[in-house]
Amino acid sequence: MRKILITNDDGIMADGIVRLAEAAKEFGEVWVIAPDNQRSAASHSISLRHPIDIYPHDFPVEGVKAFNCSGTPADCVRVGSLSVMDEKPDVVLSGINYGYNVATDIQYSATAGAAFEAAFQGYHAIALSEGFSGDHEVTDHYLRDMLMDALEVELEYGEILNINFPDCPLSDFKGVAKGVKVSRRAFFIDRYKVIEELENGGKRYVVDAIHQAEPEDGTDYGAVLGHMIAFGKVNNIGI
């Protein structure tokens, strides 16, 4: 039986990781090792200069062994697969993330970062994300099928499979776009705004990015904006 490790960057109590674990039970023995709270945009960072605490965690999916982790999503993959699990996983699933991981946002994504760590460790790595609206119709209807297909995809060392479910009702769904490339356009136009003037001439900034919907044909971003599932490989930047 496959050993499946599931993590995320939204925290172990996030709705997406529960739905993913429930679906993954069909495909193997599931272990959940996920951050104890929100770790979005942590990318592929790991903890080197402070300890990582792991605690058993009550989880609402029967038969799943679950632990929360004080570290990053990539830490969850590392310490989880190398020390917590009784055997190394065959597959690592990261998600289901709240918000798309497409286009240039992939480089900041801790959902993708955890999957890349899994690929680096030699595991079959799959990242899964969906839109922000909370409409899970397409995700929940096609999640099992996408997992089944994703488990059969051959991945080279350093590659992950990146799956994004569109933010639309099932009635508006247009199909699965397989083999999509990563869009080179930015999901957001980056900018910052000053929210406070500080002593000694300092200023406090927060990100104030502007969403832009300008997809390229044949890309992950184009697929989700076109109400399609984006299904494609992504290479680690170091490969």
Side-chain angles (χ1 to χ4, degrees):
M1 177 181 287
R2 289 188 187 95
K3 293 271 189 178
I4 301 174
L5 169 58
I6 299 180
T7 193
N8 71 351
D9 70 359
D10 292 322
I12 195 166
M13 296 303 296
D15 172 72
I17 199 169
V18 175
R19 290 158 51 225
L20 181 56
E22 185 67 56
K25 279 176 34 177
E26 177 181 342
F27 301 100
E29 177 186 308
V30 174
W31 294 62
V32 168
I33 303 168
D36 53 15
N37 54 54
Q38 177 61 249
R39 296 287 196 280
S40 291
S43 190
H44 196 157
S45 62
I46 61 172
S47 302
L48 294 179
R49 294 175 177 84
H50 56 81
I52 299 169
D53 299 333
I54 301 286
Y55 287 95
H57 191 94
D58 290 335
F59 198 74
V61 180
E62 186 177 355
V64 170
K65 300 178 180 68
F67 301 83
N68 67 56
C69 173
S70 66
T72 68
D75 286 331
C76 293
V77 173
R78 289 168 62 87
V79 70
S81 67
L82 299 176
S83 296
V84 178
M85 296 179 69
D86 55 5
E87 295 179 42
K88 290 184 178 181
D90 303 294
V91 177
V92 173
L93 306 177
S94 184
I96 302 168
N97 187 64
Y98 179 60
Y100 297 134
N101 281 309
V102 297
T104 56
D105 274 17
I106 291 174
Q107 66 185 320
Y108 306 111
S109 165
T111 303
F116 279 127
E117 178 59 37
F120 173 72
Q121 295 291 340
Y123 314 135
H124 194 85
I126 304 165
L128 303 101
S129 303
E130 61 186 353
F132 284 112
S133 76
D135 188 337
H136 304 319
E137 283 189 10
V138 175
T139 308
D140 291 346
H141 189 84
Y142 286 98
L143 179 56
R144 177 186 177 277
D145 291 344
M146 293 300 98
L147 287 175
M148 185 176 293
D149 290 352
L151 291 169
E152 299 302 319
V153 172
E154 292 188 9
L155 296 172
E156 300 293 334
Y157 181 76
E159 281 186 334
I160 68 170
L161 192 61
N162 192 34
I163 303 172
N164 283 268
F165 295 90
D167 197 2
C168 67
L170 192 58
S171 58
D172 293 338
F173 178 61
K174 304 300 183 184
V176 182
K178 290 194 173 181
V180 292
K181 296 181 179 179
V182 177
S183 173
R184 295 186 178 182
R185 297 187 186 274
F187 196 82
F188 291 96
I189 300 173
D190 291 330
R191 66 179 185 178
Y192 289 79
K193 66 180 180 180
V194 177
I195 61 168
E196 187 178 350
E197 299 286 341
L198 304 175
E199 294 181 2
N200 301 318
K203 294 182 179 181
R204 179 166 292 159
Y205 292 83
V206 294
V207 68
D208 185 35
I210 303 171
H211 177 251
Q212 61 172 353
E214 299 179 6
E216 298 169 304
D217 291 339
T219 68
D220 51 3
Y221 195 14
V224 293
L225 289 179
H227 294 174
M228 302 182 75
I229 294 173
F231 187 107
K233 299 177 182 179
V234 181
N235 292 320
N236 189 305
I237 192 169
I239 302 301

